[in-house]
Amino acid sequence: MPELITPTTRLHRAWLDARDDWGRGVHQDGSGLHPDDDVDSPDGFAAWVARLCRSADPAVEQEPGRVHCTYWWIVEDGTVLGAIALRHVLNDFLLRAGGHIGYGIRPAARRRGLAAFALGEVLRHAKQLGLDRVLITCNVDNEASRRTIERHGGVQEDVRDTELGRIRRYWITL
């Protein structure tokens, strides 16, 4: 049974396997991975995991352009299947294009309902955080994500061209 866990160095090898399934250098929605993060070395991976965990702490000042965010990995039997992130507030970019929640499922684990499971769990966390509604976006060509968002009550506000490409913007009332 899949579960959401806080990122941990304990799963370094499993995370690298998931990354390699995506492909090196491929953007992974919801992962918090930046192009310059060194995730191959144990020290670099530990630094990245520590940054992900610190980003949820409201007492820790965020980098310019970043907001507080809680990250989880979707894990089953020690295998990293994907990631999901809950941004605590929206800045201009997130309101325009990124939304409160981003998620990605590794290619080998798709079509199992993992995104729907993870989104349902994170919507409960969003409500506990005090949000009354969340914005979620997806690429216009991503039918699986569209269905997942709509299944959780997403109401499409619009379709627009953004820095992330052409996206659908949905609001979910909590």
Side-chain angles (χ1 to χ4, degrees):
M1 174 119 177
E3 60 182 330
L4 297 186
I5 68 162
T6 300
T8 175
T9 57
R10 180 176 52 82
L11 292 176
H12 186 195
R13 179 74 254 158
W15 188 90
L16 289 174
D17 290 344
R19 187 269 320 262
D20 291 346
D21 187 17
W22 283 91
R24 288 175 183 257
V26 174
H27 175 74
Q28 300 175 34
D29 288 329
S31 72
L33 184 63
H34 300 166
D36 58 345
D37 286 327
D38 166 24
V39 293
D40 289 302
S41 75
D43 289 343
F45 189 78
W48 175 62
V49 166
R51 189 190 78 221
L52 294 181
C53 294
R54 277 192 316 273
S55 72
D57 184 347
V60 175
E61 188 174 331
Q62 297 301 297
E63 299 172 26
R66 302 281 175 185
V67 300
H68 287 99
C69 182
T70 304
Y71 293 95
W72 294 271
W73 291 346
I74 306 161
V75 175
E76 185 175 49
D77 299 325
T79 300
V80 176
L81 304 171
I84 189 163
L86 170 61
R87 299 168 194 107
H88 302 185
V89 297
L90 297 177
N91 59 21
D92 289 341
F93 167 74
L94 295 172
L95 180 60
R96 190 172 54 253
H100 284 99
I101 298 173
Y103 54 84
I105 305 298
R106 69 187 282 183
R110 292 179 183 159
R111 303 189 56 82
R112 293 183 40 203
L114 294 167
F117 155 75
L119 180 56
E121 294 294 308
V122 170
L123 289 173
R124 283 191 275 286
H125 287 281
K127 188 172 182 106
Q128 291 170 353
L129 198 60
L131 299 174
D132 57 356
R133 67 183 192 146
V134 295
L135 175 66
I136 306 178
T137 69
C138 69
N139 184 286
V140 292
D141 297 325
N142 190 337
E143 285 299 311
S145 194
R146 178 193 62 77
R147 284 191 305 274
T148 296
I149 296 165
E150 290 177 356
R151 191 173 304 127
H152 281 284
V155 176
Q156 185 174 307
E157 179 177 74
D158 62 15
V159 174
R160 60 174 69 174
D161 293 314
T162 72
E163 304 93 315
L164 301 177
R166 192 158 178 78
I167 61 162
R168 297 177 192 271
R169 295 173 66 250
Y170 291 89
W171 289 95
I172 297 177
T173 300
L174 303 175

